[in-house]
Amino acid sequence: MRRKWVGGNWKMHGSRAMASALVGAIVEAKTDTVDVAVFPPFPYLREACAACAGSRIAVGGQDVSEHESGAFTGEVSAAMLRDVGCGTVLAGHSERRQYHHESDGQVAAKVAQALTHGLTPVLCVGETLDERDGGRMAEVVSRQLGAVIAHCGIVAFERIVVAYEPVWAIGTGRTASPAQAQEVHALLRSQLASDDARIAGSTRIVYGGSVKPGNAAELFAQADIDGGLIGGAALQATDFLSICAAAG
Ligand code: PGA
């Protein structure tokens, strides 16, 4: 039985006050039956880590450099995230792939950096609407996942969370139906299984894209959906916590 995982990706929202109130409410709540992570903007990470210390809530960055250290203005390394208390990090979110042109190779290098520094990478994959409509969904997600398998090895997936996030469902209010999401999750799991069935059986594959309190339970009830990566609904403690409850 895979333990469910729910992450809140705040994107570029909030303030110090909002971050502290939101993290405070999540730490207070009883979410022990599910693994919960929050991904605040970089400037709020340190305080969030302090607030979550001693709890089971993990804190993570929304991105990480593919480099170890050096002259990379604006970048944040995996070692730095670890240094301020992070336990996890997003890699290859579609907004990074789309607006910052992150390639599959860069995303794989980011996952490798995270692993080297003891962070749980949350590897995001997903197709655009054009790709889905053009019948290329399977090719795109398998290429994105395959790049990380090739770079990091299948054994790394004992420590990686995979997030399937169809780009057309992110922030659009348009959710993949439970059956549509399940189809892709099963595909991703079978790709992992072709390298190692045991690891494929234990890797958490979570869904992201307009998950709300009203649709979470049905999505999480699918055989291969092990939780969710939540954007908009992660900005309200009550919504986020009710999604966590749907996973628990
Ligand atoms: P959304 O975002 O829940 O607002 O669609 C999900 C994500 O981008 O991780």
Side-chain angles (χ1 to χ4, degrees):
M1 203 29 199
R2 294 178 296 270
R3 197 177 152 87
K4 293 257 194 296
W5 182 100
V6 177
N9 171 14
W10 300 2
K11 311 194 177 185
M12 199 172 72
H13 292 295
S15 61
R16 225 177 129 192
M18 178 268 211
S20 121
L22 191 46
V23 169
I26 295 167
V27 169
E28 289 271 296
K30 289 256 164 293
T31 54
D32 293 355
T33 51
V34 45
D35 289 339
V36 176
V38 290
F39 299 89
F42 285 131
Y44 309 139
L45 284 176
R46 193 156 176 250
E47 273 173 271
C49 288
C52 291
S55 80
R56 295 188 35 95
I57 314 295
V59 178
Q62 296 173 13
D63 182 33
V64 62
S65 174
E66 74 220 66
H67 304 288
E68 179 65 34
S69 67
F72 301 103
T73 301
E75 294 284 282
V76 171
S77 73
M80 291 168 187
L81 292 175
R82 191 73 200 167
D83 195 23
V84 297
C86 287
T88 181
V89 69
L90 302 181
H93 188 279
S94 66
E95 287 149 19
R96 303 293 315 174
R97 293 183 192 258
Q98 197 175 345
Y99 306 135
H100 301 272
H101 311 292
E102 290 184 6
S103 66
D104 293 336
Q106 277 173 301
V107 173
K110 284 168 188 250
V111 169
Q113 273 297 316
L115 290 167
T116 300
H117 292 280
L119 299 167
T120 298
V122 181
L123 165 66
C124 305
V125 301
E127 81 287 2
T128 64
L129 189 57
D130 272 1
E131 289 163 343
R132 174 166 280 258
D133 288 347
R136 297 177 49 217
M137 174 275 285
E139 169 204 325
V140 170
V141 297
S142 106
R143 189 200 71 220
Q144 292 172 337
L145 179 63
V148 177
I149 301 175
H151 189 93
C152 301
I154 189 67
V155 174
F157 283 79
E158 288 180 333
R159 291 165 54 203
I160 294 171
V161 172
V162 178
Y164 168 58
E165 297 207 305
V167 179
W168 48 273
I170 296 180
T172 57
R174 206 181 139 185
T175 322
S177 70
Q180 275 176 323
Q182 166 58 27
E183 180 198 0
V184 185
H185 283 236
L187 238 146
L188 293 168
R189 199 177 302 286
S190 71
Q191 186 175 353
L192 294 170
S194 66
D195 275 347
D196 190 310
R198 183 189 60 80
I199 289 172
S202 64
T203 302
R204 263 96 58 96
I205 307 180
V206 305
Y207 169 80
S210 299
V211 178
K212 303 273 180 294
N215 60 22
E218 207 191 340
L219 284 160
F220 300 166
Q222 303 301 305
D224 290 293
I225 302 188
D226 305 313
L229 180 56
I230 321 302
L235 299 172
Q236 296 289 338
T238 45
D239 284 358
F240 185 66
L241 289 169
S242 100
I243 293 169
C244 292

